[in-house]
Amino acid sequence: MSTYDNDRPLTSDERNPYASSSRWRHQESSAFAQHAAARSPIQHGSTGDLASFLNKSRIEPDSDANSVHSNGEKYKPIAVAASGLKPPGANLDGSANSSQAEFEAPEGKGIVCGPLLNYRRMEEGRWYGSVLVVIQGGGGTPQHQPFLIIRRASSSKQPDNSPPDETNGVGSSNGTAEESRVEAHCLYSDPRNTFWAFDIDVPIGATETSFEYEIPDMIYSTEHKPRLNTFFVPAASESMRMMFHSCNGFSVGTDEDAWSGPALWNDVIRKHKAIPFHVMIGGGDQIYNDSIRVSGPLRPWTDIKNPRKRREYPFSETLRAECDDFYLKNYLRWYNTPPFSMANGQIPQINIWDDHDIIDGFGSYIDHFMRCDVFRGIGGLAHKYYMLFQHHMPPPLYTYTTDYAALAENTQGPDPNQLVNTYVAPQKPGSQYIVGTKPGPYVAERSYNLYARLGARVALLGIDARTERTRHQVNYPETYEVIFNRLRYELQAAVDSNQPIKHLILLLGIPIAYPRLTWLENIFRSPLMGPVKLLNRRFGLGGGLFNQFDGSIDLLDDLDDHYTARTHKKERAELMVMLQDVAAEFSVRVTILGGDVHLAALGRFYSKPDLKVPVEEDHRYMVNVVSSAIVNKPPPQAVANLLARRNKIHHMNHKTDETMLDLFNKDPGGSTKTANHNHCTMPSRNFACITENSPNNAGGYTNGHATGPDQDEGEGESGGVVESFLGNDGHSVLHKGEVGSGTDHKAALRETHGTGYDGTLDVCINVEIDQHDPDGRTDGYGLTVPLLDYVKRVEPETPPSTASQQ
């Protein structure tokens, strides 16, 4: 592995001078990785595993020179080889420091990344999306403007020879394939690369339709990336089949070879080929940029031992340019990495970001440190490439530097140094965005929240929970106000159009129904830690316990990052009440997606049992699907078991309880990844599938269970009376859709997932069976989320002061 500076090899002392003493057990030498391959995929941990897990991506690379790190030579990509070509910007050791000199193409015609496909919105009978390509070279005035051809896919999946239609869109009255030519528009260009976007829209038909697109007369830097890509649009009367993922990358120092690389994307592609997904929802950490402080240009900064000197370190124009180059090349490397690169041009993406898209823990360190020049600088740069790669939008004109701030008397404004031979298109946010009212405290940009309809009866609300984040807030109150005003407007418009939304998917970067670790917070915030901090500052005592950024307890920013943290408790409760009010007002079932924690789980909010509210009428019943990570390593078994022990019934307020469901009836593939008592947290890589049981289906299942020809909704499978769930607490089954949840549930089985007819929602978390399997095969764990038929009822008012709230 090389440093960012001149590719000089690191010495053993330089490679990791501040390595933690509590490193993960599988982050050892390659010899150990080979030895572990013959053992159980998940090793048993000790009590030290808790610290290792919560430290997660701060673990630095092992100092063993024989270790294989970050796409090293011993890692074999899980796709067709690229005939000697490597992704531009990627060294053989996986570092993002190489130039693009190895790839040659005529000026303006060399695609170094893409095409990447995004979904934006649907309205007035049309589906809207975008395609992004990154071209080698550029500058202030790009010379060659590419174009895209899009058409209905023929049955043979081959390009159609019909003449191009000059209109932007694909339509046909007789069902034949017609082509449209779409001209690119430039989002951003500098001497290194040019970002071209194609705005595409296609008709939504009476039946599911596949479309294919290509970008002619261009040369690709990789051979594995498809030249002809196909995507699917649901019928006008149907909702989208959704795939949800998070933590799409490896933490610093992970032995990727020991985890078969990003193998689960092979399972995503396999499932997509069998029954195509209409949308791919990214819940944050779509890329891991943490190595910027280990092998990148921030290494000299993180080597500074004194936290005060580190806070005062300037973010010069030279450092800005180096960091800008790092973020660009890391995106080029990762978005070109198979098999992820095989999916990102064929399954339309819609994303929010989280801390690793910037740097680990961004936003959750102490305020005066978060406001330092370096954090302000990299926050702006990460936002720049987040907008380009993940949203296909122009970035801001400039990002922060200490040099220009001093010249401009610390005011923000266009920096002429950053605009030399550079073009930046004007920003015009699409109607799917709900833009925050003011810039974030550490990223000098406004938050970009999302609302998009996902077909006939499902909608997505994505909250940008990183741009405005501090240690004491997730989002500004004004942002919640504008988000919920827009949400009510959209839900009412759907009602007025006689196409009401039945399921609202709320996308968050972190779980909101999750076990507390309050006891650990209390220890780290205790005055007893004061002398330990002093000894650490003076003599370096307990160095592994303190982070290298602000000198605080190393685990606190991870704990503070969660909605269940003490500092976010009030904001969390207020958000949940706002969601409950919307659910009741529009009789819409809210289902929450969250990632970040590197394991699978399923939390639920629900009305307290003594209120006797059936779940089908309970606007407080909300499932939190926790699916993480699709690529990164999971926590040790001991950590998952500890979290399961903390699975108590919590009282969010005097009418709402919460706990996790025992979803995991057995471990995947007959393995022993959890203790016998643990059925609610699964420490394995995973992703989720979510599909509506369309009321247009022929029938066979209602609320997750088969119905015979002589049965109705009031009878069980044997013709008896359906069991009553009234009065059950969260450690029991709360409704029929949770009965038999796990591997044998209808929602978990590929042949029956989403095949019901009652408008409910099937959820399946696909869990990796064996980390050494390059095909990434999974076992599914399912349940069904019922529709909400809200019935207003008189409920006893209990003063909050007398309720047992946690």
Side-chain angles (χ1 to χ4, degrees), residues 471-749:
R471 199 164 205 164
H472 299 284
Q473 77 172 22
V474 180
N475 288 99
Y476 296 133
E478 300 91 334
T479 298
Y480 287 121
E481 183 178 2
V482 72
I483 287 174
F484 278 88
N485 285 343
R486 170 68 179 276
L487 177 60
R488 282 186 162 86
Y489 170 83
E490 295 288 353
L491 294 178
Q492 186 59 55
V495 171
D496 294 342
S497 68
N498 293 320
Q499 292 182 317
I501 299 297
K502 296 297 185 180
H503 291 278
L504 175 66
I505 308 297
L506 174 65
L507 177 61
L508 300 173
I510 50 180
I512 199 166
Y514 196 68
R516 280 89 165 127
L517 291 175
T518 307
W519 58 276
L520 198 56
E521 288 186 79
N522 292 336
I523 292 173
F524 290 151
R525 296 183 191 280
S526 168
L528 296 176
M529 294 302 297
V532 180
K533 293 181 182 179
L534 178 61
L535 291 171
N536 172 259
R537 287 196 297 268
R538 295 288 179 85
F539 307 108
L541 181 68
L545 186 62
F546 297 88
N547 70 57
Q548 300 301 313
F549 283 158
D550 62 356
S552 297
I553 303 294
D554 202 14
L555 308 185
L556 266 179
D557 72 284
D558 282 306
L559 297 175
D560 286 342
D561 219 37
H562 287 196
Y563 278 106
T564 51
R566 185 173 65 184
T567 54
H568 298 315
K569 176 182 175 182
K570 183 174 182 291
E571 180 178 353
R572 172 182 182 269
E574 290 173 349
L575 172 59
M576 292 309 304
V577 170
M578 287 189 284
L579 289 169
Q580 291 173 358
D581 291 344
V582 166
E585 183 178 348
F586 294 96
S587 195
V588 59
R589 176 69 71 196
V590 178
T591 297
I592 305 168
L593 307 180
D596 182 70
V597 293
H598 300 180
L599 51 74
L602 197 134
R604 312 108 91 214
F605 296 92
Y606 54 95
S607 290
K608 295 184 70 173
D610 56 6
L611 294 176
K612 305 291 186 182
V613 182
V615 162
E616 292 75 13
E617 301 173 7
D618 185 6
H619 63 297
R620 300 185 185 97
Y621 179 83
M622 300 178 191
V623 161
N624 184 186
V625 180
V626 181
S627 181
S628 167
I630 191 169
V631 170
N632 208 355
K633 57 183 178 281
Q637 181 189 97
V639 173
N641 294 338
L642 171 64
L643 291 169
R645 292 288 191 192
R646 302 300 302 167
N647 184 29
K648 312 296 183 183
I649 294 178
H650 297 280
H651 309 300
M652 190 195 83
N653 58 35
H654 61 286
K655 292 184 179 179
T656 309
D657 281 357
E658 58 178 291
T659 193
M660 291 195 295
L661 175 69
D662 283 341
L663 178 65
F664 305 103
N665 56 310
K666 61 182 181 180
D667 289 341
S671 62
T672 55
K673 296 188 176 186
T674 60
N676 290 334
H677 68 82
N678 180 6
H679 298 287
C680 63
T681 60
M682 180 56 66
S684 296
R685 299 192 293 184
N686 62 91
F687 64 93
C689 302
I690 304 165
T691 307
E692 181 195 36
N693 290 296
S694 170
N696 301 314
N697 288 344
Y701 289 88
T702 177
N703 208 0
H705 292 268
T707 56
D710 299 325
Q711 294 173 291
D712 59 33
E713 294 183 2
E715 296 180 343
E717 294 181 25
S718 60
V721 177
V722 172
E723 175 188 359
S724 172
F725 304 100
L726 290 180
N728 283 2
D729 64 28
H731 287 324
S732 304
V733 171
L734 296 177
H735 63 92
K736 189 176 180 180
E738 291 183 357
V739 173
S741 58
T743 54
D744 297 325
H745 194 278
K746 169 253 180 187
L749 307 176

Side-chain angles (χ1 to χ4, degrees), residues 207-249:
T207 59
E208 181 179 28
T209 309
S210 61
F211 295 90
E212 59 190 24
Y213 68 91
E214 58 183 328
I215 305 170
D217 197 28
M218 301 296 287
I219 299 174
Y220 286 70
S221 65
T222 59
E223 292 186 358
H224 65 263
K225 188 73 174 179
R227 275 47 170 175
L228 182 68
N229 288 275
T230 303
F231 65 95
F232 292 78
V233 174
S237 61
E238 301 296 343
S239 300
M240 291 187 180
R241 292 185 291 269
M242 297 161 270
M243 175 264 180
F244 168 62
H245 69 92
S246 67
C247 300
N248 181 37

Side-chain angles (χ1 to χ4, degrees), residues 22 29 178 498 630 653 794:
S22 57
S29 66
E178 294 184 356
N498 293 320
I630 191 169
N653 58 35
V794 177

Side-chain angles (χ1 to χ4, degrees), residues 412-425:
Q412 295 286 331
D415 183 350
N417 293 318
Q418 298 177 40
L419 298 177
V420 175
N421 202 20
T422 296
Y423 170 78
V424 184

